[in-house]
Amino acid sequence: MAKGKVDALLGIVFGDEGKGKVVDWFTPQYNIVARFAGGPNAGHTIIFDGKKFVLRSIPSGIFDKGKLNIIGNGCVIAPDLFMGEAKEIEQAGYTLTNRLLISRRAHLILPTHRLLDRAYEAAKGKKAVGTTGKGIGPTYSDKAARIGLRVGDITENFAEKYARLKARHEQILSELHFTDYDIAEEEKQWLEGVEYMKQFQLADTEMVINQALNEGKSVLAEGAQGSLLDIDHGTYPYVSSSSTTIGGVCTGLGIAPNKIGRVFGIFKAYSTRVGAGPFPVELFDETGDRLRDIGHEYGAVTGRNRRCGWIDLVALKYTIMINGVTDLVMMKSDVLDTFDTIKVCVAYRKGDIVTDTMPYDTEGWEAVYEDLPGWKAPIDGLRKKNDFPKAFSNYISYIERALQTPISIISVSPDREATIILKDFTKA
Ligand code: GDP
Ligand code: IMO
Ligand code: MG
């Protein structure tokens, strides 16, 4: 939260690390909260005063009424879903129009992008990525192909531009023999969403952010997805289609690298993954089921079972390096309360090869573990480091030593209040 800087809070595993909770808790300390990547594939859960919200495109700083929130140029936005999300928040008593800015450069997800998402997944068969079906891949593909529609397009000749791109999509769908659909109703909602968006400030948000930084204001960049779903650094091709890592903060908001302040890397005390793709620490046994049950590991967007396993230090070391993480944030430690032994993945093995660095192809590797004793006591009511059971403090120190990075924040329950600061990260 240094003046004139952008701090980033990045999921550094496979997403769903608890970004929404921490961004919401952090917001009072910043002037602006901004999303820089992804779209409604994200589901960020925020719980306070007995209420629960799941945000998809709107930044998690929205519940602090005095703060400006920005959907940056690196994001993709579905007008119909955005409208639903915004209306729900407004109905809960939070006005949005004067404090939510949408970048004119952000790309629009069309209803036909969602169909293409389904069609491409179906065509991949067994190799399907297990996407959220929100049209993310096709929208970023059109952006890269330089044929996409941007938020700024909705104010000029939009019907014509929309019809042109839609026709192109329909042509591809027909080539893929994906013709059994009727989007009339969905399209109606979507066009209504486009009109609804016009009441918001569709802005050159890179100018707004840089001006704020020049005035000494502070910005929190809210990550979406996780580093292992990054289009470049994730477990390709089982990834999302945006830059979820630190470089994405610069391109997705239009800020220079020297404006980046602290980089918070958020992870869970164990691992989860939704969708297909390599996951060396995955547990297929009763222990995996226990982690899922206790951690309520079901997708916030699709309701799918999250795959569960122990913490993966090989992956974390890699993503800490890629992002230049300055502070770690460990979530959901309470989920491990009842385990006798907690395993920690320290290396991967394939045949005779053992490595503790992230391999190019993470498929076919199995995890090598070390065992640590569990603390066997409830920690969700604790708010002070001095009250932690000894085995829990040891777990924290073990991870810090292995990753050579301090754990600055610990979360021990879903509630906003259950967030404990361990280190004074406001000092350099
Ligand atoms: P995000 O996508 O990174 O914002 O994370 P999600 O909201 O998809 O998933 C995180 C889930 O964990 C949500 O259901 C949160 O309410 C919950 N959660 C967050 N922190 C904690 C914690 O410390 N303990 C427990 N038990 N649950 C938590
Ligand atoms: P948050 O922000 C967890 C996963 C999908 C799939 C892959 C590609 O809540 O952490 P996509 O629809 O993006 O093309 O899907 O990425 N995925 C996520 N997994 N949390 C997310 O977001 C995710 N967003 C995408 O399950 O495997
Ligand atoms: Mg999520």
Side-chain angles (χ1 to χ4, degrees), residues 15-19 41-45 300-301 306:
D16 300 330
E17 296 92 349
K19 297 174 289 292
N41 48 346
H44 295 181
T45 315
V301 174
R306 293 177 182 152

Side-chain angles (χ1 to χ4, degrees), residues 150-312:
R150 300 189 292 174
V151 168
D153 284 318
I154 70 175
T155 52
E156 226 184 282
N157 292 337
F158 183 66
E160 195 184 304
K161 293 177 200 164
Y162 171 69
R164 202 178 315 135
L165 188 55
K166 181 184 156 190
R168 190 166 180 149
H169 290 164
E170 284 176 328
Q171 163 100 37
I172 302 169
L173 287 164
S174 122
E175 283 162 15
L176 290 168
H177 308 293
F178 194 91
T179 47
D180 188 17
Y181 59 82
D182 176 6
I183 52 164
E185 189 51 39
E186 196 174 320
E187 188 174 51
K188 207 169 126 229
Q189 281 279 313
W190 190 85
L191 290 169
E192 210 180 290
V194 168
E195 285 309 307
Y196 177 83
M197 274 173 66
K198 290 182 181 165
Q199 66 189 289
F200 290 85
Q201 283 185 57
L202 312 177
D204 296 328
T205 51
E206 66 282 10
M207 305 302 282
V208 176
I209 292 180
N210 279 289
Q211 177 157 357
L213 292 173
N214 289 340
E215 289 166 5
K217 294 194 171 136
S218 59
V219 178
L220 178 62
E222 173 179 1
Q225 291 73 56
S227 300
L228 295 174
L229 293 172
D230 181 271
I231 185 74
D232 285 277
H233 302 291
T235 54
Y236 192 90
Y238 298 97
V239 291
S240 192
S241 299
S242 65
S243 295
T244 63
T245 47
I246 193 70
V249 177
C250 294
T251 54
L253 294 180
I255 52 129
N258 62 2
K259 293 281 166 38
I260 301 280
R262 304 208 74 80
V263 180
F264 294 96
I266 184 168
F267 67 103
K268 289 188 249 210
Y270 54 98
S271 303
T272 62
R273 172 165 206 171
V274 202
F279 190 33
V281 290
E282 182 166 16
L283 295 168
F284 298 94
D285 58 4
E286 186 260 328
T287 310
D289 294 342
R290 253 176 90 194
L291 285 171
R292 184 176 309 108
D293 284 347
I294 302 172
H296 302 292
E297 295 296 354
Y298 308 97
V301 174
T302 57
R304 288 178 291 179
N305 274 5
R306 293 177 182 152
R307 301 156 69 193
C308 296
W310 298 112
I311 195 167
D312 183 345

